[in-house]
Amino acid sequence: MTTRIAFQGEPGAYSHQACHAARPQLEALPCPTFEATIDAVREGRALQAMVPVENTTYGRVADIHRLLPESGLHIVDEAFVRVHINLLGVPGATIADVKEAWSHLVLLPQCARFLRERGITGRVSPDNARAARDVAEWGDRAKAALASELAGEIYGLDTLARHIEDHDTNTTRFLIMAREPDMTRRAEHMMTTFVFRVRNIPAALYKAMGGFATNGVNMTKLESYMVDGSFTATQFYADIEGHPDDAPVRRALEELDYFTSYLKVLGTYPADPARD
């Protein structure tokens, strides 16, 4: 039986860091795309997949909500991972040596103040772990990477400055996916994630949501996105607190089902302690 967990990105990526933090007993398997990450689990090459869904700084991760319902996988856990950005340089370099810092486009604005105050120019790389690998290969003291400390360890770089992000709340939420669902109540605080499409009747969404309000079920997320290339085909993604066996949740989902043309539960899982 495989003991690997798949993630999208190169070794040292923040998804790799999430694998180490949430599943230290599993070997991390890097994959080039989110589709390849999901396929690794479906094909049995990995036991689970670590998939980022949203970040407190740059919001929803593109395409994930579209991929999850059709993946054939189930959410079995969630992990909140604090994203710390570090300045990584070649051995022997100092901050004064650095003229350029390379990283993914979304990371550069998150430490803009640090770079500006030190006269360092930000440069775009396809991936933060790739930036670390490139800096190691270039061997130039004037070039550094913005990445995780794990990336520095993997590629033999020195940490010139730790935790340089402008805001101290930068966190990414990951979902852990598996081939088989786990609907057992493994914690007092449980979460349930589902997708749905409302029936084509007036005020269908308003009525569908009413069951959660009247039954006292807290909905922590509700997002819409288009499907099938149509402006009129809208699917909703939702997270709620509770387990489907809870009477209020059961009643709310039954009411939701009445007003929907499609309803699919993607998983029930313990809430990450960071939620509390």
Side-chain angles (χ1 to χ4, degrees):
M1 181 178 179
T2 181
T3 57
R4 296 190 291 185
I5 180 167
F7 69 95
Q8 186 277 324
E10 298 195 23
Y14 286 103
S15 291
H16 190 182
Q17 175 186 318
C19 292
H20 274 228
R23 291 294 189 270
Q25 74 278 19
L26 299 181
E27 176 189 354
L29 173 66
C31 299
T33 64
F34 289 124
E35 289 86 350
T37 304
I38 291 169
D39 287 343
V41 179
R42 288 197 299 204
E43 296 166 3
R45 291 181 286 111
L47 182 66
Q48 296 179 333
M50 180 70 70
V51 181
V53 289
E54 56 195 330
N55 176 271
T56 54
T57 300
Y58 58 83
R60 184 171 74 182
V61 177
D63 293 334
I64 290 300
H65 292 64
R66 175 182 60 82
L67 290 173
L68 293 186
E70 308 303 323
S71 68
L73 304 183
H74 305 270
I75 305 170
V76 296
D77 218 338
E78 70 173 355
F80 285 56
V81 176
R82 179 73 171 82
V83 178
H84 287 300
I85 304 173
N86 308 279
L87 185 71
L88 308 177
V90 298
T94 66
I95 295 179
D97 294 325
V98 177
K99 305 304 178 186
E100 297 178 350
W102 294 74
S103 195
H104 191 280
L105 180 63
V106 300
L107 254 66
L108 292 173
Q110 296 176 35
C111 49
R113 185 186 308 121
F114 177 92
L115 299 179
R116 183 175 61 253
E117 290 175 351
R118 289 156 182 81
I120 299 173
T121 302
R123 301 294 189 192
V124 176
S125 176
D127 180 80
N128 56 79
R130 170 65 180 273
R133 178 161 65 89
D134 286 344
V135 166
E137 292 176 355
W138 292 333
D140 186 345
R141 292 190 178 195
K143 293 181 170 59
L146 302 172
S148 67
E149 290 187 67
L150 176 60
E153 294 173 7
I154 291 173
Y155 300 109
L157 299 176
D158 287 350
T159 301
L160 307 183
R162 284 183 170 84
H163 306 178
I164 63 173
E165 57 273 12
D166 293 342
H167 303 287
D168 60 4
T169 57
N170 190 12
T171 302
T172 297
R173 179 187 178 220
F174 291 83
L175 297 177
I176 300 176
M177 314 287 292
R179 286 187 298 277
E180 299 298 329
D182 184 353
M183 302 295 287
T184 58
R185 191 187 299 274
R186 290 170 283 149
E188 181 178 351
H189 188 183
M190 297 289 291
M191 302 293 298
T192 297
T193 295
F194 54 90
V195 292
F196 65 94
R197 300 180 196 177
V198 295
R199 294 167 55 194
N200 189 23
I201 57 176
L205 179 60
Y206 172 80
K207 295 174 182 176
M209 294 295 95
F212 296 95
T214 57
N215 286 285
V217 176
N218 185 31
M219 179 171 287
T220 61
K221 177 172 289 294
L222 178 64
E223 294 188 353
S224 64
Y225 57 100
M226 292 182 293
V227 293
D228 300 329
S230 171
F231 285 108
T232 59
T234 301
Q235 189 154 290
F236 295 88
Y237 171 101
D239 294 329
I240 60 172
E241 293 184 333
H243 190 285
D245 288 343
D246 298 338
V249 174
R250 185 179 66 252
R251 290 192 297 266
L253 289 175
E254 288 173 352
E255 190 165 338
L256 174 66
D257 187 52
Y258 178 79
F259 292 105
T260 58
S261 58
Y262 171 78
L263 172 61
K264 183 175 184 178
V265 174
L266 300 180
T268 295
Y269 47 93
D272 186 279
R275 284 188 177 273
D276 300 322

